Amino acid sequence: MSGRVYRLHSTLELPLEDLQDHFASDPELPEGVEDVDITRRNNTLILKAVSNDESIGKYTPTAQLKASVSETRVYEEEPPRTGGGWMQEEEEEIPSELVEFACFKGDRETVLQNTALQYQMFLVLREIALLSEKGTLTAITEVDEELHAHRIVEGEERPASVEVVETPNRDAEKGGVEWRDNKFIS
């Protein structure tokens, strides 16, 4: 399977534990990807494609997904809003815990790096987006010379389409794609 990723923007966040559980459950990976090697360096998480194709050289950098790791306090219930009076009763502490989140935020070059197996790792990111309860993933890809629009919002696929139009007042060298009315406009 070959394909290309032209545009990608992600604001995905999911608990790091959920991401680790997903890969521990031995998910079905795209054709050409034997495994996903997960490495953490301080607050950066790198998910690198391990190729099963011997034609990809040992020193060829395969595609990788890059995420930042951040801690967020998660409350079991919504904390009360205080009115700011002089006489406040002793507040009861609301049960909470610190949860580490993997945050796949940015455009293609930030989130999805390197070209060997890039489309296959996009498919891995797409599966992660379906697990995520927070954030969006929008992308334009090409498979077999056909463009596809992808839009996933808070773990749910949403309608998206690609419309290619010619704009006479747009500079030909600048080109570009913009998002308007739930569609990418080129």
Side-chain angles (χ1 to χ4, degrees):
M1 169 193 348
S2 66
R4 291 191 56 183
V5 180
Y6 289 106
R7 298 282 179 176
L8 181 140
H9 183 74
S10 174
T11 61
L12 299 173
E13 292 183 26
L14 74 155
L16 183 57
E17 188 176 331
D18 291 357
L19 183 67
Q20 292 168 332
D21 290 347
H22 172 69
F23 285 103
S25 70
D26 198 25
E28 188 173 322
L29 297 172
E31 184 181 317
V33 177
E34 183 177 316
D35 196 9
V36 175
D37 181 32
I38 302 174
T39 306
R40 181 171 178 179
R41 296 184 198 133
N42 297 322
N43 290 331
T44 302
L45 191 67
I46 299 183
L47 289 74
K48 184 176 179 180
V50 177
S51 175
N52 61 7
D53 185 356
E54 293 178 18
S55 69
I56 294 179
K58 180 179 176 181
Y59 299 105
T60 301
T62 56
Q64 62 186 25
L65 300 172
K66 190 173 179 183
S68 61
V69 177
S70 65
E71 282 187 341
T72 302
R73 183 161 299 280
V74 177
Y75 294 92
E76 290 182 17
E77 57 186 67
E78 188 70 29
R81 307 225 183 251
T82 57
W86 289 99
M87 304 274 295
Q88 289 189 3
E89 297 176 21
E90 192 173 312
E91 292 183 19
E92 186 178 314
E93 192 170 313
I94 297 171
S96 66
E97 66 176 313
L98 279 177
V99 177
E100 287 187 308
F101 280 84
C103 306
F104 297 89
K105 293 187 174 187
D107 295 321
R108 186 184 70 184
E109 297 79 18
T110 307
V111 176
L112 180 58
Q113 303 170 336
N114 303 332
T115 55
L117 299 174
Q118 186 181 66
Y119 179 74
Q120 288 80 353
M121 283 306 283
F122 166 75
L123 295 177
V124 171
L125 179 63
R126 193 174 175 286
E127 288 301 312
I128 292 170
L130 292 170
L131 297 173
S132 177
E133 294 179 8
K134 186 175 181 183
T136 62
L137 173 69
T138 55
I140 297 176
T141 60
E142 175 265 323
V143 177
D144 298 327
E145 299 181 8
E146 188 174 318
L147 293 176
H148 299 275
H150 305 267
R151 182 172 174 237
I152 300 172
V153 179
E154 297 175 352
E156 184 180 309
E157 279 194 80
R158 300 279 174 89
S161 62
V162 177
E163 182 181 340
V164 180
V165 296
E166 185 176 328
T167 308
N169 59 358
R170 180 175 283 179
D171 191 293
E173 289 184 23
K174 287 184 181 177
V177 176
E178 67 180 79
W179 181 261
R180 190 175 1 148
D181 300 326
N182 293 330
K183 294 189 265 187
F184 284 103
I185 309 291
S186 175

